[in-house]
Amino acid sequence: QTKEDTMMTVQQYIKGKNGMTLTEKERNWALKLKQEVSKVTSKHPLTDYEIAQFAIVTAADNTNRTSPVVKRMVAYQKWKQQHNIPEVITPQDIKQDLIDLEALFPGFFAVCDSNNTKNLPMFGTDFSKAFPAKLKNKEESFPMFRSQFYLFGAMTNNFDNIRKGGLFVLENEGRGWANFSIDLERRSAELHQHAFPIIINDVYLLNVSGLIKGMIPLTKPLLSQKLRKSLHVYTTKQYEEEFGDSDPVKRGARERGEKPFDDFLQGVLDSY
């Protein structure tokens, strides 16, 4: 709703309200990107909000080169088309995919909020809940990746949150070979590294077993150098001691156990 209400032209974003103000630098960069991307994406053009989002995420690079950003914008559009993301996303679209995912991997997406001492948008998953063998074909994984797309959207629901960047907490307690798929890791990396305009500040892998530690080198080639530096392997105790927060994935699981799944859905929809 926030995005729909502010779907003005990029030129007007500079006026902004409620976390929707572009700096002069971001505005000028957004206008330049809009001009360049319009030359290559005429069929399904990006919204002004999406263009502004890319501008914020890439403005700090100071390279003044539009080509790598436009390439990512095109990859983003291609990813949306490949995964059947609607041109106009409705609450029902989000709700349906999250319900389908919950039925397939109950409790996989555990938390999506800003309840942490850093006050950052936070995304938490429990990898022990995912069993890739249940997916008979590539299309059956679409609800999982669309849900990830929508949760990223909830984390970037205004310009202030886009600038802050996100905190990712990935629970690994109980995770084994049955919960691992290099193909799903690769496809997830395509979204968060090469398509969706989101800043990832830190990624915390919690309670990693010796087996999973042995798998980490298999996934590192999928990660950018910047993201590798942001990767931390912690125990729950180490995480809680450093941040003064409870393990967010375990907290999310407790809350999900106490409240109906609809409450989790509503929290996502309220943020989107």
Side-chain angles (χ1 to χ4, degrees):
Q1 184 179 1
T2 305
K3 297 177 186 178
E4 293 297 327
D5 288 345
T6 56
M7 207 57 74
M8 57 190 88
T9 63
V10 173
Q11 289 95 326
Q12 292 173 300
Y13 272 128
I14 192 68
K15 299 175 183 177
K17 60 178 181 179
N18 299 326
M20 288 295 191
T21 305
L22 286 177
T23 65
E24 190 69 30
K25 178 181 178 180
E26 290 167 346
R27 173 183 175 273
N28 290 336
W29 184 231
L31 289 170
K32 193 170 184 179
L33 291 176
K34 184 175 184 177
Q35 182 181 25
E36 292 303 312
V37 78
S38 65
K39 299 175 182 178
V40 292
T41 57
S42 56
K43 187 175 181 181
H44 298 285
L46 277 73
T47 65
D48 285 329
Y49 186 92
E50 289 170 321
I51 292 170
Q53 195 168 348
F54 274 100
I56 292 170
V57 168
T58 61
D61 294 342
N62 292 315
T63 63
N64 207 34
R65 293 176 59 232
T66 58
S67 56
V69 186
V70 169
K71 181 180 179 180
R72 184 170 177 176
M73 294 166 96
V74 171
Y76 170 79
Q77 280 297 82
K78 183 179 179 180
W79 191 97
K80 286 171 64 178
Q81 292 165 29
Q82 289 174 337
H83 291 81
N84 303 322
I85 298 289
E87 286 191 47
V88 178
I89 298 169
T90 68
Q92 185 56 40
D93 294 323
I94 300 172
K95 190 172 183 178
Q96 189 58 60
D97 275 323
L98 284 169
I99 288 173
D100 289 347
L101 180 67
E102 180 70 5
L104 184 64
F105 301 145
F108 177 65
F109 285 130
V111 64
C112 184
D113 58 32
S114 298
N115 298 332
N116 55 83
T117 53
K118 290 189 174 184
N119 195 33
L120 292 175
M122 181 170 58
F123 175 88
T125 67
D126 185 344
F127 279 124
S128 71
K129 307 298 185 185
F131 293 89
K134 286 186 176 182
L135 305 172
K136 298 181 180 66
N137 53 57
K138 187 174 181 179
E139 286 69 27
E140 287 195 2
S141 67
F142 282 10
M144 180 172 70
F145 287 107
R146 283 197 298 263
S147 295
Q148 188 173 343
F149 179 93
Y150 297 142
L151 292 174
F152 283 5
M155 295 172 71
T156 55
N157 63 346
N158 63 53
F159 295 163
D160 289 342
N161 279 342
I162 295 169
R163 291 187 194 97
K164 285 180 182 179
L167 179 66
F168 289 71
V169 183
L170 314 178
E171 180 62 63
N172 287 267
E173 187 174 11
R175 187 186 187 194
W177 277 113
N179 311 110
F180 182 82
S181 165
I182 193 67
D183 180 60
L184 292 185
E185 296 281 351
R186 177 186 58 76
R187 291 169 60 200
S188 180
E190 286 177 359
L191 174 61
H192 64 70
Q193 286 196 118
H194 307 301
F196 199 97
I198 187 170
I199 296 170
I200 299 176
N201 291 311
D202 290 290
V203 179
Y204 292 91
L205 301 178
L206 301 186
N207 306 309
V208 176
S209 67
L211 176 64
I212 299 302
K213 281 182 181 177
M215 296 179 187
I216 291 176
L218 298 177
T219 63
K220 278 195 172 182
L222 304 174
L223 306 178
S224 67
Q225 186 175 1
K226 183 178 180 181
L227 192 54
R228 289 180 204 176
K229 291 179 180 178
S230 302
L231 199 64
H232 313 281
V233 179
Y234 276 27
T235 63
T236 291
K237 184 178 179 181
Q238 288 172 321
Y239 181 90
E240 292 177 345
E241 286 178 349
E242 179 165 334
F243 294 100
D245 287 334
S246 60
D247 179 333
V249 177
K250 293 185 184 297
R251 169 176 60 78
R254 285 196 301 271
E255 292 174 354
R256 293 273 290 282
E258 295 166 359
K259 299 186 294 186
F261 181 60
D262 279 354
D263 286 2
F264 174 77
L265 281 176
Q266 194 58 52
V268 174
L269 294 174
D270 288 345
S271 297
Y272 202 83

